[in-house]
Amino acid sequence: MAEGPSPEQQADYLVRKLEQTIRDNRTVKGMSFRTWQTIAREEIVNTLRSAERRHMRHDRTINRVMLVGAGSLVSIGFWGAVVAVDRTYGGWAALVSVLAGAALFFVAADWGIKRASAGWDKRKRVERLANIEDLDRRIKRMEEALRKKEGRLKEKMEEVGLL
């Protein structure tokens, strides 16, 4: 099951999220280790629950496809046997066979559409994570540029005698 971003991308995102949380909750002394542990635990639990939810949905879909497929095939086989035994129920058997085949087709089509949709969602999640990484890099470059500019301005102010 290759849904969603890779484990490395999820870990990078989680680390960035924890870093941002720590920065947002920073005080003059800093964040206590127990608080950091609690926040980290919550984020890790949320990530694991999300992965488990995706896995359960995938399993549920497979089980539904198998159940409807098996039911449809049994129905088709039963009514095929009825037609072979007695031509009296040929019209009914044909109707039930068409309905069972249609049910099998629609479930298979639904499954295919969900898989295509999941692939599209996966690509979008990977793209969003890449955008987050790019934004993070740009922010860090801007922070560094601002620090350098601050240093240059302090030097100029010292030269002029304002500090």
Side-chain angles (χ1 to χ4, degrees):
M1 183 174 85
E3 286 185 23
S6 69
E8 290 83 11
Q9 289 173 324
Q10 286 180 335
D12 290 341
Y13 176 73
L14 185 59
V15 167
R16 261 191 236 93
K17 195 170 181 181
L18 287 171
E19 177 184 350
Q20 187 62 44
T21 303
I22 290 169
R23 286 183 184 192
D24 290 346
N25 294 321
R26 186 180 293 167
T27 61
V28 176
K29 283 177 54 179
M31 180 183 285
S32 73
F33 183 69
R34 186 159 313 280
T35 304
W36 182 86
Q37 278 183 321
T38 303
I39 292 170
R41 183 181 182 282
E42 287 175 14
E43 292 300 329
I44 291 169
V45 166
N46 289 339
T47 302
L48 290 173
R49 282 185 182 148
S50 173
E52 286 176 359
R53 229 179 289 122
R54 283 194 310 265
H55 185 68
M56 272 195 263
R57 282 189 202 128
H58 178 74
D59 287 349
R60 193 177 324 140
T61 302
I62 294 295
N63 289 340
R64 285 179 184 163
V65 168
M66 296 300 286
L67 179 66
V68 171
S72 298
L73 289 175
V74 166
S75 229
I76 291 168
F78 171 76
W79 286 104
V82 167
V83 170
V85 171
D86 184 12
R87 296 280 179 176
T88 308
Y89 299 107
W92 285 104
L95 179 63
V96 170
S97 296
V98 166
L99 291 176
L104 179 62
F105 171 76
F106 286 122
V107 167
D110 179 55
W111 183 57
I113 290 169
K114 283 182 182 176
R115 281 189 58 156
S117 174
W120 183 78
D121 288 343
K122 174 188 170 188
R123 285 191 297 276
K124 294 305 277 182
R125 278 192 301 273
V126 169
E127 183 179 312
R128 282 191 298 264
L129 280 174
N131 289 341
I132 290 170
E133 290 172 356
D134 183 50
L135 180 62
D136 191 42
R137 280 192 297 272
R138 287 189 292 172
I139 289 171
K140 286 182 181 179
R141 280 196 307 259
M142 288 172 58
E143 286 175 346
E144 184 62 31
L146 285 173
R147 276 192 223 103
K148 287 180 182 178
K149 188 174 183 179
E150 178 187 22
R152 286 193 306 265
L153 287 174
K154 280 185 180 180
E155 288 175 5
K156 284 185 180 181
M157 288 176 72
E158 286 175 359
E159 287 175 6
V160 174
L162 294 175
L163 281 181

